[in-house]
Structures are given as structure tokens and as C-alpha cells.
Amino acid sequence: DVKVTQSSRYLVKRTGEKVFLECVQDMDHENMFWYRQDPGLGLRLIYFSYDVKMKEKGDIPEGYSVSREKKERFSLILESASTNQTSMYLCASKLADSENTEAFFGQGTRLTVV
Amino acid sequence: GDSVTQMEGPVTLSEEAFLTINCTYTATGYPSLFWYVQYPGEGLQLLLKATKADDKGSNKGFEATYRKETTSFHLEKGSVQVSDSAVYFCALFSYSSASKIIFGSGTRLSIRP
């Protein structure tokens, strides 16, 4: 059974803290993605990675960074958390070099910044 | 750039009603098209997909046909159930979108018993 696992379901952090959201996949996928989901705005791409140590900015990268040191793990980092980063964060992975295969999603991390 | 537009929600229907959720897309290449479903408190999971024009994806009684001439991929179900209550996302993927997956804004569906 394929799996994308996010380290936390719920997280509460204080303004200014450095926050790490971890995502691990067991499918040997090259592509990995971080989205945030907000009511009325759908899913917005923060960053994606198409291979180890490779990353590309998505549509809303400001205030975030990422790390991909190993193929199976893609970390999202909030350098200095702010209240406007309170959101649901979704990680996904996908096989590269194929338009036909779907992305697999983790269960999401609901982050609250107070 | 590539984009996906889907109908605004929320959509509320009675059990056994017919469902249509509209989705249209803009793409420079020949994208693959997907419908994802998100049940309360969970991540997204694939509902169905179609990879070329005139393909029909189907799953759990849901269907969608890839219409290149109208650039549409509308989701339909003949008789909805309470358990279909969820948020539905239309999405596309193509290399012309720089390998990003482009999502619509989502449509919340609520089914009354």
C-alpha cells in the first residue's frame, strides 16, 4: 500500500518560531510537492522538488524554504512563523516522467501559529 | 499559464439526486486530467483520471469525460449518497506546466439524507 506520511496532524507554534514540517514517501517517487490549503483559495503550491537536492519555487514561496537531502523525505521550513501561515499543509509525491500517473497525498498537517 | 476553473460551492443535494460539478481548463499542451476527493479531516485521494481526449474516467459511480473541444472535464454521478459529502478538486498535469500539478479551487458537496 503506497504511503505518504506527514509527521504531525496538528501543530501549534508561536510567532517567530522556526517550524519544520516533515513528509516521507515510500514509493521511490522523484517528484514531491508542498501545498497549503485555505478556505476559498483551494490548493496553492509552495515548493516542489523533482529530485534529491533539487527544488523549484511554486506560486507562494515567500516565508518558506525546503530541504530534500534524501529521495524519500521532503521538509518544509517556516523560517519565522507568522499568524498568516496558519493553514492546512499538504505534501504529495509523484512518479516523474509520466503525465499519466497521479500524485499521492499525505493526510495533512493543520498548523496554527499563535 | 495553465489553469483550472471549477464551479463554486458549496453544493447541497438530496440523497439520490444527480450530480454535476463543472470543470474547465486552460493548457498549452495535452494535459492529463484528474478529479481528487477530500473527505473531512483527510488528505486528497484520487477519484478518477483521464489521460487523452475522449477518455472517460470512472470510479465509485462517478464519471468524467475528457473533452478537448470544450476543454472540460465535468464530474457526474447519477445518484449521490450521504457518504459522497466531501470537497472535490479538479486538477491537471502536463510538462508544459513545468511539471506542476494545477488544482481548481475545490467544490464542497453536502448530501442531505
Side-chain angles (χ1 to χ4, degrees):
Chain A
D1 202 14
V2 296
K3 216 160 183 191
V4 178
T5 303
Q6 295 181 229
S7 52
S8 305
R9 289 294 298 269
Y10 300 95
L11 216 49
V12 180
K13 296 293 182 181
R14 295 195 180 279
T15 301
E17 275 193 78
K18 190 168 186 175
V19 181
F20 293 84
L21 302 184
E22 306 286 348
C23 176
V24 177
Q25 50 97 2
D26 64 1
M27 295 165 281
D28 204 35
H29 285 169
E30 294 85 1
N31 293 355
M32 295 188 75
F33 307 83
W34 274 107
Y35 291 88
R36 64 177 281 177
Q37 182 181 12
D38 300 288
L41 298 176
L43 273 72
R44 293 181 291 169
L45 182 64
I46 306 171
Y47 267 97
F48 70 102
S49 167
Y50 48 91
D51 207 342
V52 176
K53 297 191 188 295
M54 309 299 283
K55 60 185 180 185
E56 290 283 338
K57 291 181 180 179
D59 300 316
I60 52 163
E62 296 79 20
Y64 303 95
S65 62
V66 290
S67 172
R68 184 116 182 253
E69 295 297 316
K70 292 185 178 181
K71 192 175 186 180
E72 67 271 18
R73 186 180 296 270
F74 190 37
S75 303
L76 179 69
I77 304 156
L78 285 65
E79 297 291 344
S80 177
S82 64
T83 55
N84 63 13
Q85 292 179 310
T86 292
S87 187
M88 170 72 92
Y89 290 87
L90 292 166
C91 174
S93 73
K94 184 184 182 303
L95 199 61
D97 295 328
S98 174
E99 292 182 305
N100 300 332
T101 59
E102 69 269 27
F104 292 86
F105 282 81
Q107 77 278 28
T109 297
R110 187 166 292 283
L111 172 68
T112 302
V113 182
V114 297
Chain B
D2 295 356
S3 66
V4 174
T5 303
Q6 63 181 102
M7 66 189 285
E8 299 258 342
V11 174
T12 303
L13 296 172
S14 297
E15 205 166 20
E16 298 184 3
F18 184 86
L19 168 72
T20 300
I21 301 178
N22 289 339
C23 172
T24 56
Y25 67 91
T26 303
T28 52
Y30 299 93
S32 295
L33 301 174
F34 304 87
W35 276 101
Y36 283 84
V37 59
Q38 185 181 35
Y39 298 105
E42 298 184 13
L44 276 69
Q45 56 186 272
L46 180 71
L47 180 60
L48 53 84
K49 67 179 181 182
T51 58
K52 61 183 188 296
D54 300 324
D55 266 3
K56 178 186 281 189
S58 61
N59 186 24
K60 299 182 181 179
F62 290 89
E63 292 183 341
T65 301
Y66 189 142
R67 301 278 187 210
K68 190 168 182 294
E69 63 277 12
T70 54
T71 63
S72 65
F73 192 54
H74 304 321
L75 183 68
E76 295 182 337
K77 186 174 186 183
S79 176
V80 292
Q81 306 301 312
V82 172
S83 57
D84 294 326
S85 298
V87 181
Y88 292 81
F89 292 92
C90 185
L92 71 80
F93 178 88
S94 79
Y95 292 117
S96 67
S97 61
S99 298
K100 300 177 187 178
I101 309 167
I102 310 294
F103 285 89
S105 57
T107 302
R108 181 175 297 279
L109 174 66
S110 296
I111 306 300
R112 293 187 299 252

Coordinates of all heavy atoms in Angstrom, one line a residue, chain B residues 18-58:
Chain B
F18 N -29.0 13.7 -8.9 CA -28.0 13.7 -9.9 C -27.0 14.8 -9.7 O -27.4 16.0 -9.4 CB -28.6 13.9 -11.3 CG -27.6 13.8 -12.5 CD1 -27.3 12.5 -13.0 CD2 -26.9 14.9 -13.0 CE1 -26.3 12.4 -14.0 CE2 -26.0 14.8 -14.0 CZ -25.7 13.5 -14.5
L19 N -25.7 14.5 -9.8 CA -24.7 15.5 -9.5 C -23.9 15.8 -10.8 O -23.5 14.9 -11.5 CB -23.7 14.9 -8.5 CG -22.4 15.7 -8.3 CD1 -22.6 17.0 -7.5 CD2 -21.3 14.8 -7.5
T20 N -23.6 17.1 -10.9 CA -22.6 17.6 -11.9 C -21.8 18.7 -11.2 O -22.4 19.6 -10.7 CB -23.3 18.2 -13.2 OG1 -24.1 17.2 -13.8 CG2 -22.2 18.7 -14.1
I21 N -20.5 18.5 -11.3 CA -19.6 19.6 -10.9 C -18.7 19.9 -12.1 O -18.0 19.1 -12.7 CB -18.6 19.1 -9.8 CG1 -19.5 18.7 -8.5 CG2 -17.7 20.3 -9.4 CD1 -18.6 18.2 -7.4
N22 N -18.9 21.2 -12.6 CA -18.2 21.6 -13.8 C -16.7 21.9 -13.6 O -16.3 22.5 -12.5 CB -18.9 22.9 -14.3 CG -20.3 22.6 -14.9 OD1 -20.6 21.4 -15.2 ND2 -21.1 23.6 -15.0
C23 N -15.9 21.6 -14.6 CA -14.5 21.9 -14.5 C -14.1 22.2 -16.0 O -14.3 21.4 -16.9 CB -13.7 20.7 -14.0 SG -11.9 20.8 -14.2
T24 N -13.4 23.3 -16.1 CA -12.8 23.6 -17.4 C -11.3 24.0 -17.2 O -10.9 24.3 -16.1 CB -13.5 24.8 -18.1 OG1 -13.5 26.0 -17.2 CG2 -14.9 24.5 -18.5
Y25 N -10.5 23.8 -18.2 CA -9.1 24.0 -18.1 C -8.6 24.9 -19.2 O -9.1 24.9 -20.3 CB -8.4 22.7 -18.0 CG -8.4 21.9 -19.3 CD1 -7.4 22.0 -20.2 CD2 -9.5 21.0 -19.5 CE1 -7.4 21.3 -21.4 CE2 -9.5 20.3 -20.7 CZ -8.5 20.4 -21.6 OH -8.5 19.7 -22.8
T26 N -7.4 25.4 -19.0 CA -6.6 26.1 -20.0 C -5.2 25.5 -19.9 O -4.6 25.4 -18.9 CB -6.5 27.6 -19.7 OG1 -7.8 28.2 -19.7 CG2 -5.7 28.3 -20.8
A27 N -4.7 25.0 -21.1 CA -3.4 24.4 -21.1 C -2.8 24.5 -22.5 O -3.5 24.4 -23.5 CB -3.5 22.9 -20.7
T28 N -1.5 24.7 -22.6 CA -0.9 24.9 -23.9 C -0.5 23.5 -24.5 O -0.4 23.4 -25.6 CB 0.4 25.7 -23.7 OG1 1.2 25.1 -22.7 CG2 0.1 27.1 -23.4
G29 N -0.4 22.5 -23.6 CA 0.0 21.2 -24.1 C -1.2 20.3 -24.1 O -2.4 20.7 -24.3
Y30 N -1.0 19.0 -23.9 CA -2.0 18.0 -23.8 C -2.0 17.4 -22.4 O -1.4 16.3 -22.2 CB -1.8 16.9 -24.9 CG -1.9 17.6 -26.3 CD1 -0.7 18.0 -26.9 CD2 -3.1 17.7 -26.9 CE1 -0.8 18.5 -28.2 CE2 -3.1 18.3 -28.2 CZ -2.0 18.7 -28.8 OH -2.0 19.3 -30.0
P31 N -2.7 18.0 -21.5 CA -2.6 17.6 -20.1 C -3.3 16.3 -19.8 O -4.2 15.9 -20.5 CB -3.2 18.7 -19.3 CG -4.3 19.3 -20.3 CD -3.7 19.1 -21.6
S32 N -2.9 15.7 -18.7 CA -3.7 14.6 -18.1 C -4.7 15.4 -17.1 O -4.3 16.3 -16.5 CB -2.9 13.6 -17.3 OG -2.1 12.9 -18.3
L33 N -5.9 14.8 -16.9 CA -6.9 15.5 -16.1 C -7.3 14.5 -14.9 O -7.4 13.3 -15.2 CB -8.1 15.9 -16.9 CG -7.8 16.8 -18.0 CD1 -9.1 17.1 -18.9 CD2 -7.3 18.2 -17.5
F34 N -7.5 15.1 -13.8 CA -7.8 14.3 -12.6 C -8.9 14.9 -11.8 O -9.1 16.1 -11.8 CB -6.6 14.2 -11.7 CG -5.3 13.7 -12.3 CD1 -4.5 14.6 -13.0 CD2 -5.0 12.4 -12.3 CE1 -3.3 14.1 -13.6 CE2 -3.8 11.9 -12.9 CZ -3.0 12.8 -13.6
W35 N -9.7 14.1 -11.1 CA -10.5 14.5 -10.0 C -10.0 13.9 -8.7 O -9.9 12.6 -8.7 CB -12.0 14.1 -10.2 CG -12.7 15.1 -11.1 CD1 -13.0 14.9 -12.4 CD2 -13.3 16.3 -10.7 NE1 -13.7 16.0 -12.9 CE2 -13.9 16.9 -11.9 CE3 -13.4 17.0 -9.5 CZ2 -14.6 18.1 -11.8 CZ3 -14.0 18.3 -9.5 CH2 -14.6 18.8 -10.6
Y36 N -9.8 14.7 -7.7 CA -9.5 14.3 -6.4 C -10.6 14.6 -5.4 O -11.4 15.5 -5.6 CB -8.2 15.0 -5.9 CG -6.9 14.5 -6.5 CD1 -6.5 15.0 -7.7 CD2 -6.2 13.6 -5.8 CE1 -5.3 14.6 -8.2 CE2 -5.0 13.1 -6.4 CZ -4.5 13.6 -7.6 OH -3.4 13.2 -8.1
V37 N -10.7 13.7 -4.4 CA -11.7 14.0 -3.3 C -11.1 14.1 -2.0 O -10.1 13.4 -1.7 CB -12.8 12.8 -3.4 CG1 -12.2 11.5 -3.1 CG2 -13.9 13.1 -2.3
Q38 N -11.6 15.0 -1.2 CA -11.0 15.1 0.2 C -12.2 15.0 1.2 O -13.1 15.8 1.3 CB -10.4 16.5 0.3 CG -9.7 16.7 1.7 CD -9.1 18.1 1.8 OE1 -9.6 19.1 1.3 NE2 -8.0 18.2 2.5
Y39 N -12.2 13.9 1.9 CA -13.1 13.7 3.0 C -12.7 14.5 4.2 O -11.5 14.8 4.4 CB -13.3 12.2 3.3 CG -13.8 11.4 2.1 CD1 -13.0 10.6 1.4 CD2 -15.1 11.5 1.7 CE1 -13.4 9.9 0.2 CE2 -15.6 10.9 0.6 CZ -14.7 10.0 -0.1 OH -15.2 9.4 -1.2
P40 N -13.7 14.8 5.1 CA -13.4 15.6 6.2 C -12.2 15.1 7.1 O -12.1 14.0 7.4 CB -14.7 15.6 7.1 CG -15.7 15.3 6.0 CD -15.1 14.5 5.0
G41 N -11.2 16.0 7.3 CA -10.1 15.7 8.1 C -9.0 14.9 7.5 O -8.1 14.4 8.1
E42 N -9.1 14.7 6.2 CA -8.1 13.8 5.5 C -7.4 14.6 4.4 O -7.8 15.7 4.0 CB -8.9 12.6 4.9 CG -9.5 11.7 6.0 CD -10.1 10.5 5.4 OE1 -9.8 10.2 4.2 OE2 -10.9 9.8 6.1
G43 N -6.4 13.9 3.8 CA -5.7 14.5 2.6 C -6.5 14.1 1.4 O -7.7 13.6 1.4
L44 N -6.0 14.5 0.2 CA -6.7 14.2 -1.0 C -6.4 12.8 -1.5 O -5.3 12.3 -1.3 CB -6.2 15.2 -2.1 CG -6.8 16.6 -2.2 CD1 -6.4 17.4 -0.9 CD2 -6.4 17.3 -3.4
Q45 N -7.4 12.2 -2.1 CA -7.2 10.9 -2.8 C -7.7 11.0 -4.2 O -8.7 11.7 -4.4 CB -7.8 9.8 -2.0 CG -9.2 9.9 -1.6 CD -9.7 8.8 -0.7 OE1 -10.1 7.8 -1.2 NE2 -9.6 9.1 0.6
L46 N -7.1 10.2 -5.1 CA -7.5 10.2 -6.5 C -8.9 9.6 -6.6 O -9.2 8.5 -6.1 CB -6.5 9.5 -7.3 CG -6.9 9.4 -8.8 CD1 -6.7 10.8 -9.4 CD2 -6.0 8.4 -9.5
L47 N -9.8 10.3 -7.3 CA -11.1 9.7 -7.6 C -11.1 9.0 -9.0 O -11.6 7.9 -9.1 CB -12.2 10.8 -7.5 CG -13.6 10.3 -7.7 CD1 -14.1 9.3 -6.7 CD2 -14.6 11.5 -7.7
L48 N -10.7 9.8 -10.0 CA -10.6 9.2 -11.3 C -9.7 10.1 -12.2 O -9.3 11.2 -11.8 CB -12.0 9.1 -12.0 CG -12.9 10.4 -12.0 CD1 -12.6 11.3 -13.2 CD2 -14.4 10.0 -12.1
K49 N -9.3 9.6 -13.3 CA -8.4 10.4 -14.2 C -8.7 10.0 -15.7 O -9.3 9.0 -16.0 CB -7.0 10.1 -13.9 CG -6.5 8.6 -14.2 CD -5.1 8.4 -13.8 CE -4.6 7.0 -14.2 NZ -3.2 6.8 -13.8
A50 N -8.2 10.9 -16.6 CA -8.3 10.6 -18.0 C -7.0 11.3 -18.6 O -6.6 12.4 -18.2 CB -9.5 11.2 -18.6
T51 N -6.4 10.6 -19.5 CA -5.1 11.0 -20.0 C -5.1 11.5 -21.4 O -4.1 12.1 -21.8 CB -4.1 9.9 -19.8 OG1 -4.6 8.7 -20.6 CG2 -3.9 9.5 -18.4
K52 N -6.2 11.3 -22.1 CA -6.2 11.8 -23.5 C -7.7 12.1 -23.9 O -8.6 11.7 -23.2 CB -5.6 10.9 -24.5 CG -6.2 9.5 -24.6 CD -5.4 8.7 -25.6 CE -6.1 7.4 -25.9 NZ -6.3 6.5 -24.7
A53 N -7.8 12.9 -24.9 CA -9.1 13.4 -25.4 C -10.1 12.2 -25.6 O -9.7 11.1 -26.1 CB -9.0 14.2 -26.7
D54 N -11.3 12.4 -25.2 CA -12.4 11.4 -25.3 C -12.3 10.3 -24.3 O -13.2 9.4 -24.3 CB -12.6 10.9 -26.7 CG -12.8 12.0 -27.7 OD1 -13.6 13.0 -27.3 OD2 -12.3 11.9 -28.8
D55 N -11.2 10.2 -23.5 CA -11.2 9.2 -22.5 C -12.2 9.5 -21.4 O -12.5 10.6 -21.1 CB -9.8 9.3 -21.8 CG -8.8 8.3 -22.3 OD1 -9.1 7.6 -23.3 OD2 -7.7 8.2 -21.8
K56 N -12.8 8.4 -20.8 CA -13.7 8.6 -19.7 C -13.1 7.9 -18.5 O -12.8 6.7 -18.6 CB -15.1 7.9 -20.0 CG -16.1 8.0 -18.9 CD -17.4 7.3 -19.2 CE -18.3 8.0 -20.1 NZ -19.6 7.4 -20.2
G57 N -13.0 8.7 -17.4 CA -12.6 8.1 -16.2 C -13.8 7.8 -15.3 O -14.8 8.5 -15.4
S58 N -13.7 6.7 -14.6 CA -14.9 6.3 -13.7 C -14.4 5.6 -12.5 O -13.4 4.9 -12.5 CB -15.8 5.5 -14.5 OG -15.2 4.3 -14.9

